[in-house]
Amino acid sequence: MQNENAPFLEVASLSKRFGGVQAVLDYELSLAPGEIVGLIGPNGAGKTTVFNLLSGVLAPTSGSIRAGGREIAGRGPEAGSAAGIGRTFQNIRLFPALSVLDNVRAACHRRLGRGLWPTLFRLPGARASEAAILARAREMLEIMNLSAAAEQPAGSLPYGDQRRLEIARALAAGPTLLLLDEPAAGLNPGETEGLRQAIRALRDRFGLTVLLVEHDMGLVMRLCERVQVLVHGRLLTEGPPAAVQADQRVVAAYLGSGGADA
Amino acid sequence: MSRTTLRLAALCTVAAGAGLVALAQAFCGDYYLSILDFVGIAAVLAVSLNVTNGFTGLFSLGHPAFMAIGGYVTALLVLPPGRKEMFLPDLPAWLASAEWSFAPALAAGGLAAVLAACLVGLPVLRLKGHYLAVATMGFLIIVQVLIVNLDWLTRGPLGLNGLAPLTDLWWVYAVLVVTLYVAYALKFSSLGRAMLAVREDELAARCLGIPAARARILALAVGAFFAGVSGGLWAHLITAITPGSFSLLMAFTIVAMVVIGGSGSVTGSLLAAVGISLFTEALKPVEESLELYGLAEIVMALGLIVCLVLRPRGLFGSEEPRLLARLFENSAP
């Protein structure tokens, strides 16, 4: 058994190459339980590739990912989920034809669902399981303030609600670490502030660890306790938000290095 | 309406259906009875294919292959030893002497189809979309070729004829009720929602820990079971079974029923199957008097095209009537 402060996630020299393109090189990350960390960098820096590697969507070319003491690199998204990693997607991926409630209920299946025979013969265990799933799903909708829309098809929700539903759905699977890929993209300032409070509340309530990719620097600075900067697939620097913001190399990476080709 | 009332109403509906079956058996002529049998079997086929194609988004054209497997297995188990000796002298002794009654033979036919589904599912379900459709079509052709060539087991292209006319409306009705129960119970369960999630977005489902490959195999196997049972019913309704009985045309007909009714809607595929097969039967006298054979198929193909253009998700989409959701949802305390 691990002790309380041991890192939940440890990533060592993680690399991914697509043909001739080195998308990520020697990426390192250590996340303690309950930390909120931001991953920033210019477009094309490899942030989403890092997320796809961490959640098991992509297999790395080399390197290791240990979550909760288990090696999950290259074992697929099911292994990532089983180890306690949940995620959202940059271009929202809901189950559009299912109702908002059923989107979240589907996410409870791994932990609470039953197999074919209990389902068909309606054994007592199946009834208890369905009741537990319904209760959990309603709780997640309540937390993300979506209860009123429970019966609507997910595809018909306004954009901001879809983003929140994706978080509710990821939470329902019971992750220890939540990867949020640009959660504030397309939100107005009011919605972004609501999102910031919601993420904080989730961390305080469930002890959730959060890693987020975000382009809204205001949100990153106000929410994250630590920030990593990724440029051309390599870690440029890592530290508290204020220090990273003041780092001249970070500014240069975002604005271009100042040469004639910038 | 409370759940108890709802359950009572459901039981009354099933009983009323049984009453109609009794009336039909007593008063309908053989011709009309056989039409009702075919309509019921079509409904079983469409609803079970909907579990495979509609719930998990597989596009399988292999349903008739499972029917063929179930049909031959049922027929071989039911056929009296005397006739088997005449048709198939080279059968192994245990099969040659087998003379099962209809119900266990139907179940065995269904299970044989499940076995085939698991064998073919493991390699084929890695494929998606059009590739999967072509692969399942290939499976159907392989099964047909095997049936033609395994003379000692199937009597080759001649098929098995003179089967006992065991299928009546009671059997068809009973199988239909069980099929509908299984489809609805699955749909309104966690397992069913996991299947629908895989259809909607496989990657997102897998990131939530839903075992997509297992969900697909399960959906294929459940569909195959009822296809296998339908094959047994079919064979003992027309009292003959040949390699050509279960064709690609039949696969097309069942797929059309599922698509028109709405992929994912059990109610939709039930209504579409009943409507389309009644319509096809009604058109038969017209075909004969005008000598325009195949008119029904043309009309159905046009109907499919119109449906895909105007209502691509089918008549019902993935929806079911509210009452059914309340009847089958198993989450009441």
Side-chain angles (χ1 to χ4, degrees), chain A residues 69-85:
Chain A
R70 267 186 272 182
E71 177 62 47
I72 56 163
R75 307 263 163 92
E78 291 91 345
S81 172
I85 299 179

Side-chain angles (χ1 to χ4, degrees), chain B residues 264-288:
Chain B
S265 172
V266 178
T267 313
S269 43
L270 171 67
L271 294 180
V274 171
I276 289 172
S277 46
L278 278 179
F279 177 74
T280 313
E281 289 298 331
L283 223 55
K284 271 190 184 153
V286 181
E287 284 181 341
E288 274 163 30

Side-chain angles (χ1 to χ4, degrees), chain A residues 84-104:
Chain A
I85 299 179
R87 72 167 292 176
T88 64
F89 296 87
Q90 185 179 351
N91 45 350
I92 307 176
R93 304 184 74 138
L94 294 169
F95 308 132
L98 302 193
S99 72
V100 167
L101 180 65
D102 283 352
N103 265 264
V104 183

Side-chain angles (χ1 to χ4, degrees), chain B residues 161-201:
Chain B
N161 52 19
L163 303 176
L166 297 170
T167 302
D168 61 16
L169 200 52
W170 286 111
W171 283 105
V172 174
Y173 182 65
V175 171
L176 178 59
V177 168
V178 174
T179 313
L180 284 171
Y181 170 80
V182 167
Y184 282 121
L186 253 186
K187 173 114 188 234
F188 296 111
S189 73
S190 181
L191 191 57
R193 287 187 292 268
M195 288 176 173
L196 287 162
V198 169
R199 177 191 80 180
E200 291 288 293
D201 191 323

Side-chain angles (χ1 to χ4, degrees), chain A residues 19-98:
Chain A
V21 180
Q22 187 74 50
V24 174
L25 185 66
D26 287 332
Y27 176 78
E28 310 267 337
L29 172 66
S30 174
L31 284 177
E35 257 193 307
I36 301 180
V37 175
L39 177 61
I40 63 170
N43 286 327
K47 305 181 294 291
T48 293
T49 304
V50 166
F51 265 33
N52 285 337
L53 292 169
L54 295 183
S55 59
V57 172
L58 289 175
T61 312
S62 63
S64 103
I65 304 168
R66 295 184 71 80
R70 267 186 272 182
E71 177 62 47
I72 56 163
R75 307 263 163 92
E78 291 91 345
S81 172
I85 299 179
R87 72 167 292 176
T88 64
F89 296 87
Q90 185 179 351
N91 45 350
I92 307 176
R93 304 184 74 138
L94 294 169
F95 308 132
L98 302 193

